[in-house]
């Protein structure tokens, strides 16, 4: 009987730091050998001329998340993780949203129930706190951290979600106390409200108004404020979905001061612009996300920051709503005001191919940077390293084999999400994942699902590498 369950032979293995041609031996779901001419496996995969990378970890996705306006997310944990697998991911970290008035513990339990038995790939959860009551911060938060949810997102915008300054302060004190990582959606709620009213009064109610109502200054101001609170409370802070140059300046300003401030960006900020929201007649609603895509200069600023290592991770912010549906993006956007269009776009399946093609194939970032930005840094920052995020002896065999020459044109037809469109329709890319395995089992092949719902397991996470052990 063969010693290894699977051997991936003769591929170019890439980690965040090294690149080597070797064989990978897998047994009982873990990587147990890296070497030349290793023994036979029960299954042999020839990876000659292919890249063998750690499977993507997408640490910013929204699946089956409740909304307060009647809109319904297109993907649940089954379809979202299926789509993620087909795009080269082996793990996702969706958000567990606490609704105002709801117990934090209950919200987490509900999301566990939604995910359990449904996922094609492994998953963890972040908590969103919208109601920072004494009960939530003092009683429930320590419990959920013990349960392996060691990161908390807060919002500085949205009705029923935005925290005021005192609440932000209190959440940071609580995360400091329990050793959790604070993530922030930084946009100034009051400023957006005023800008929205002004645009509506002037009759600018189409989707483009979404971008015009939240120019980058509202993101820059909120980012600076969040950084200042993190400094006061003495906690690390992770700024999610950074959209352009002014915000990057704030992140770098903080880093220069020695503050533990970290950030991510997403494909929409590299490839879309606010002009896409002008698409006629109301197709612009397909690009409504927050923060909104900016302009070409801000795209360049994001690329430059990615290449210079300012961003720690690259995520999708997959937050899908069907376009042609009463509970999706189109109707409300067309008939009333942009302010009713649910915020968010699909992207869990296209994140990696877009960064690979436009980043690696076009020479903007190295392959090792790609691995760090899409897998290894996620595992470290969200407390799962080295179990996840690397190709190393003892790590889970979470692997994506890429054909770096494969040409693919992104179209809605080839994708596996439950959304009815992709914002990247018609984009031609070079490089695509051809085999994706989670703990040694193939979950996607040639962009199509090859696993089954329920195989993916919950990963209980430890302390973030960014959070000091006090
Ligand atoms: N923030 C997110 O992180 N995702 C979608 C919408 C939003 O505002
Ligand atoms: Zn957000
Ligand atoms: Zn998001």
């Amino acid at each position: 009987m063969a010693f290894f369950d699977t051997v991936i032979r003769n591929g170019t293995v890439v980690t965040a730091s090294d690149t080597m041609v070797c064989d990978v031996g897998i047994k009982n779901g873990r990587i147990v050998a890296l070497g030349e001419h290793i023994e036979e496996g029960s299954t042999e995969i020839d990876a000659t001329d292919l890249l063998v990378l750690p499977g993507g970890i997408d640490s910013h996705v929204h699946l089956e998340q409740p909304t307060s306006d009647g809109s319904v997310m297109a993907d649940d944990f089954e379809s979202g993780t299926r789509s993620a697998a087909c795009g080269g991911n082996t793990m996702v970290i969706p958000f567990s949203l606490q609704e105002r008035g709801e117990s934090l513990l209950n919200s987490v339990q509900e999301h566990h129930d939604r995910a359990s038995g449904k996922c094609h790939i492994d998953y963890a959860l972040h908590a969103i706190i919208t109601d920072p009551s004494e009960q939530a911060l003092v009683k429930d938060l320590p419990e959920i951290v013990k349960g392996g949810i060691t990161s908390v997102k807060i919002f500085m915008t949205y009705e029923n979600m935005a925290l005021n300054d005192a609440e932000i302060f209190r959440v940071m004190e609580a995360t400091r106390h329990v050793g959790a990582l604070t993530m922030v959606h930084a946009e100034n709620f009051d400023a957006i409200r005023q800008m929205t009213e002004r645009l509506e009064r002037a009759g600018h109610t189409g989707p483009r108004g979404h971008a015009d109502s939240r120019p980058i200054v509202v993101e820059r101001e909120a980012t600076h404020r969040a950084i200042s609170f993190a400094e006061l409370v003495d906690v690390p802070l992770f700024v999610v979905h950074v959209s352009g140059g002014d915000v990057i300046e704030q992140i770098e300003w903080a880093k220069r001061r020695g503050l533990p401030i970290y950030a991510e960006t997403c494909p929409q900020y590299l490839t879309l612009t606010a002009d896409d929201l002008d698409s006629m007649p109301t197709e612009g609603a397909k690009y409504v996300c927050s923060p909104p895509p900016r302009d070409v200069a801000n795209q360049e600023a994001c690329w430059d920051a990615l290449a210079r290592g300012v961003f720690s991770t690259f995520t999708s912010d997959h937050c899908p709503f069907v376009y042609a549906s009463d509970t999706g993006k189109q109707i409300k956007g067309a008939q009333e005001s942009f302010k009713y269009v649910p915020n968010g776009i699909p992207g869990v399946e296209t994140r990696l191919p877009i960064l690979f093609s436009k980043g690696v194939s076009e020479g903007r970032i190295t392959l090792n940077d790609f691995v760090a930005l899409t897998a290894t840094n996620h595992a470290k920052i969200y407390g799962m390293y080295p179990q996840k995020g690397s190709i190393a002896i003892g790590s889970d065999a979470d692997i994506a084999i890429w054909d770096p020459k494969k040409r693919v044109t992104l179209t809605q037809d080839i994708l596996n999400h439950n959304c009815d469109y992709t914002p990247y329709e018609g984009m031609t890319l070079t490089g695509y994942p051809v085999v994706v395995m989670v703990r040694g089992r193939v979950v996607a092949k040639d962009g199509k699902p090859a696993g089954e719902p329920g195989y993916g397991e919950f990963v209980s996470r430890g302390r973030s590498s960014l959070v000091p052990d006090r």
Side-chain angles (χ1 to χ4, degrees):
M1 204 174 105
F3 176 72
F4 298 113
D5 299 332
T6 303
V7 171
I8 303 171
R9 214 168 274 288
N10 208 30
T12 299
V13 173
V14 186
T15 69
S17 55
D18 298 300
T19 305
M20 61 216 138
V21 175
C22 71
D23 305 333
V24 181
I26 297 167
K27 196 172 172 61
N28 297 329
R30 293 189 312 130
I31 297 165
V32 294
L34 294 170
E36 292 180 332
H37 314 297
I38 66 174
E39 273 179 52
E40 222 175 293
S42 304
T43 301
E44 291 269 326
I45 299 177
D46 179 11
T48 308
D49 296 330
L50 302 177
L51 301 173
V52 180
L53 310 185
I57 300 174
D58 195 341
S59 55
H60 187 150
V61 306
H62 304 265
L63 301 175
E64 208 179 335
Q65 195 177 289
T67 63
S68 54
D69 62 359
S71 55
V72 177
M73 272 188 193
D75 281 315
D76 60 12
F77 282 80
E78 195 276 312
S79 63
T81 56
R82 176 186 72 207
S83 176
C86 296
N89 297 285
T90 51
M91 173 153 192
V92 290
I93 314 184
F95 290 87
S96 164
L97 170 73
Q98 174 206 29
E99 294 182 273
R100 273 264 156 99
E102 185 187 13
S103 125
L104 184 59
L105 271 187
N106 281 357
S107 65
V108 165
Q109 191 50 52
E110 275 170 21
H111 284 78
H112 273 304
D113 293 344
R114 288 183 187 127
S116 173
K118 298 269 187 58
C119 294
H120 289 251
I121 61 176
D122 286 351
Y123 64 100
L125 293 169
H126 307 286
I128 293 175
I129 295 185
T130 63
D131 194 343
S133 61
E134 187 82 0
Q135 171 75 31
L137 297 187
V138 178
K139 300 251 168 53
D140 293 357
L141 183 58
E143 289 303 309
I144 67 167
V145 168
K146 265 190 227 146
I149 298 177
T150 52
S151 44
V152 169
K153 183 182 178 190
I154 55 173
F155 282 83
M156 298 171 79
T157 188
Y158 292 129
E159 198 74 48
N160 296 323
M161 292 174 90
L163 302 190
N164 64 34
D165 289 353
E167 291 172 327
I168 294 170
F169 201 96
R170 284 207 299 275
V171 171
M172 287 180 176
E173 285 187 323
T175 55
R176 186 180 195 279
H177 187 66
V178 296
L181 178 66
T182 312
M183 307 161 74
V184 67
H185 176 133
E187 288 186 296
N188 183 314
F189 183 40
D190 287 329
I192 293 169
R193 264 200 302 214
Q194 297 308 310
M195 297 287 287
T196 300
E197 281 173 21
R198 200 155 89 181
L199 286 159
E200 286 179 337
R201 276 198 303 275
H204 297 308
T205 54
R208 171 67 190 229
H210 174 77
D212 295 341
S213 67
R214 37 179 84 214
I216 200 160
V217 63
V218 308
E219 187 184 349
R220 184 190 71 203
E221 184 280 330
T223 302
H224 185 84
R225 191 156 32 105
I227 289 170
S228 304
F229 288 155
E231 182 177 5
L232 283 171
V233 181
D234 182 26
V235 282
L237 180 67
F238 196 93
V239 183
V240 296
H241 46 49
V242 167
S243 72
D246 278 13
V247 183
I248 293 165
E249 271 181 19
Q250 294 296 313
I251 305 292
E252 294 203 85
W253 172 85
K255 284 181 186 287
R256 276 198 306 277
R257 290 167 70 95
L259 297 172
I261 306 299
Y262 305 89
E264 64 177 23
T265 192
C266 315
Q268 46 271 40
Y269 306 118
L270 303 178
T271 58
L272 304 177
T273 69
D275 289 345
D276 289 309
L277 279 77
D278 268 333
S279 313
M280 298 305 281
T282 60
E283 298 263 321
K286 291 181 177 175
Y287 306 91
V288 166
C289 58
S290 287
R294 308 289 181 191
D295 58 14
V296 171
N298 280 299
Q299 289 180 351
E300 281 312 314
C302 289
W303 275 117
D304 177 60
L306 268 179
R308 289 187 298 110
V310 179
F311 292 119
S312 303
T313 58
F314 184 72
T315 64
S316 68
D317 194 4
H318 180 76
C319 187
F321 295 92
V322 166
Y323 176 64
S325 153
D326 283 356
T327 58
K329 281 178 168 285
Q330 185 186 23
I331 303 298
K332 286 178 270 179
Q335 293 182 342
E336 299 178 53
S337 156
F338 60 84
K339 78 178 176 207
Y340 299 111
V341 177
N343 287 199
I345 60 176
V348 74
E349 192 168 345
T350 47
R351 167 187 76 128
L352 296 171
I354 288 174
L355 187 66
F356 190 96
S357 182
K358 300 204 170 287
V360 180
S361 304
E362 293 187 22
R364 291 181 167 110
I365 59 171
T366 68
L367 253 180
N368 307 99
D369 292 341
F370 177 84
V371 170
L373 285 164
T374 59
T376 312
N377 292 352
H378 301 248
K380 290 180 175 171
I381 290 171
Y382 297 107
M384 306 178 289
Y385 187 82
Q387 179 193 351
K388 300 290 188 188
S390 192
I391 295 186
I393 306 292
S395 293
D396 284 356
D398 292 355
I399 292 172
I401 303 177
W402 284 69
D403 179 347
K405 299 225 164 73
K406 186 166 176 173
R407 298 270 290 168
V408 171
T409 299
L410 295 178
T411 59
Q412 167 63 9
D413 299 352
I414 67 163
L415 297 178
N416 299 275
H417 56 198
N418 267 358
C419 204
D420 61 347
Y421 77 97
T422 168
Y424 308 108
E425 184 73 29
M427 186 182 279
T428 297
L429 303 174
T430 304
Y432 217 78
V434 289
V435 176
V436 183
M437 60 171 66
V438 174
R439 289 175 279 107
R441 196 187 299 177
V442 175
V443 294
K445 221 169 164 210
D446 294 323
K448 288 290 150 214
E452 70 219 27
Y455 175 65
E457 289 178 353
F458 175 69
V459 177
S460 176
R461 297 183 288 117
R463 182 185 291 265
S464 164
S465 61
L466 307 181
V467 173
D469 194 359
R470 295 179 204 272

